């Protein structure tokens, strides 16, 4: 499949992307994956990205776009699930042109619609392993860390990320809403948009697979 997953922080894009990838072996790609891989490879683009990240600055659209192009041109992405990209209409337009040039059109753009109260609850109960080499994710309700707030995998302290405090979450959701409303409208006009209003990963996956089959048939 070739799809883009849209959804607010906490909507479960990463989990859904992994579940979909398991169905047909499509590659999942988030902007975080893309940045980490480029930094690790030490390419000129990777070194540029590293500079922005080290300063704590947002990596600009242009650089993300160049990294995405390099990824596709390196022969990846025959089948893919993009998680968290594009974020803006200019990014969506450049992705569309890139895929057109490669003759790999998108099958669907899936928007995971989750009520705000559910997002806030999921994010504020999330905890992350402090060890950056591990970064295991926990949930104080559904998947708690080991005794003394320790990581079950590496034993490091498990903490609440600064961007997962209630105040930070409210800001992130507001920014997301402002950015994404336009993007959803863009994909609605292109006829690619699929709005999914389910909360269980298995139901979400079935809904998406059903829509893809319908389109193919
Ligand atoms: Zn850990």
């Amino acid at each position: 499949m070739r799809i883009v997953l849209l959804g607010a922080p906490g909507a479960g894009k990463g989990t859904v992307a992994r579940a979909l990838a398991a169905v047909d072996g499509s590659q999942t790609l988030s902007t975080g994956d893309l940045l980490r891989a480029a930094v690790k490879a030490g390419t000129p683009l990777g070194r540029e990205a590293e500079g922005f990240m080290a300063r704590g600055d947002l990596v600009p659209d242009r650089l993300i776009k160049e990294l995405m192009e390099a990824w596709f041109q390196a022969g990846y992405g025959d089948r893919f699930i993009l998680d968290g990209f594009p974020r803006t209409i200019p990014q969506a337009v450049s992705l569309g042109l890139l895929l057109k040039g490669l003759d790999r059109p998108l099958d669907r753009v899936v928007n995971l619609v989750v009520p705000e109260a559910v997002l806030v609850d999921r994010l504020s109960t999330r905890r992350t392993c402090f060890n950056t080499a591990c970064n295991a994710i926990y949930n104080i309700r559904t998947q708690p860390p080991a005794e003394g707030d320790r990581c079950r995998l590496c034993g490091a302290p498990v903490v609440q990320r600064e961007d997962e405090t209630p105040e930070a979450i409210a800001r992130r959701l507001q920014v997301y809403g402002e950015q994404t409303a336009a993007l959803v409208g863009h994909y609605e006009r292109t006829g690619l948009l699929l709005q999914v209003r389910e909360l269980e990963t298995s139901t979400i996956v079935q809904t998406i697979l059903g829509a893809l089959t319908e389109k193919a048939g």
Side-chain angles (χ1 to χ4, degrees):
M1 65 188 83
R2 296 190 193 111
I3 66 173
V4 164
L5 275 182
L6 304 177
K13 294 190 296 294
T15 309
V16 170
R18 281 190 297 278
L20 287 170
V23 172
D24 73 348
S26 294
Q27 287 171 293
T28 63
L29 187 70
S30 69
T31 48
D33 295 337
L34 197 62
L35 290 169
R36 279 188 292 275
V39 168
K40 203 173 162 197
T43 59
L45 287 176
R47 283 196 295 277
E48 200 185 340
E50 196 169 19
F52 284 102
M53 291 191 292
R55 290 191 299 273
D57 290 341
L58 207 65
V59 179
D61 268 16
R62 168 193 59 78
L63 189 54
I64 301 274
K65 176 180 163 246
E66 287 175 17
L67 287 167
M68 186 71 63
E69 284 172 0
W71 186 78
F72 278 108
Q73 278 152 8
Y76 296 109
D78 181 33
R79 291 175 299 169
F80 55 83
I81 299 153
L82 299 183
D83 159 5
F85 181 91
R87 266 176 217 266
T88 61
I89 289 184
Q91 286 182 357
V93 170
S94 53
L95 177 69
L97 290 172
L98 174 65
L99 293 176
K100 194 174 178 199
L102 294 166
D103 196 23
R104 294 180 200 162
L106 288 173
D107 296 319
R108 282 287 190 169
V109 173
V110 178
N111 187 28
L112 301 177
V113 184
V114 177
E116 182 160 335
V118 176
L119 296 173
V120 171
D121 183 71
R122 283 182 185 169
L123 291 170
S124 61
T125 53
R126 191 142 86 177
R127 298 292 182 273
T128 307
C129 173
F130 190 69
N131 170 9
T132 51
C134 173
N135 277 160
I137 308 278
Y138 295 91
N139 183 292
I140 52 174
R141 250 179 249 142
T142 57
Q143 204 190 349
E147 186 121 3
D149 286 335
R150 293 277 160 176
C151 179
R152 291 184 185 277
L153 299 178
C154 74
V158 168
V159 298
Q160 182 169 42
R161 279 174 24 179
E162 271 175 34
D163 64 350
E164 289 174 354
T165 62
E167 304 73 35
I169 292 166
R171 271 198 307 278
R172 285 169 68 197
L173 292 180
Q174 191 189 348
V175 169
Y176 176 81
E178 287 164 3
Q179 262 187 351
T180 312
L183 196 56
V184 168
H186 169 80
Y187 280 123
E188 193 155 35
R189 286 190 295 278
T190 62
L192 287 172
L193 189 70
L194 174 67
Q195 304 262 34
V196 178
R197 296 169 199 280
E198 302 288 344
L199 295 180
E200 292 295 328
T201 303
S202 57
T203 319
I204 294 171
V205 167
Q206 287 314 315
T207 307
I208 296 169
L209 294 178
L212 291 175
T213 316
E214 200 177 289
K215 189 179 178 238

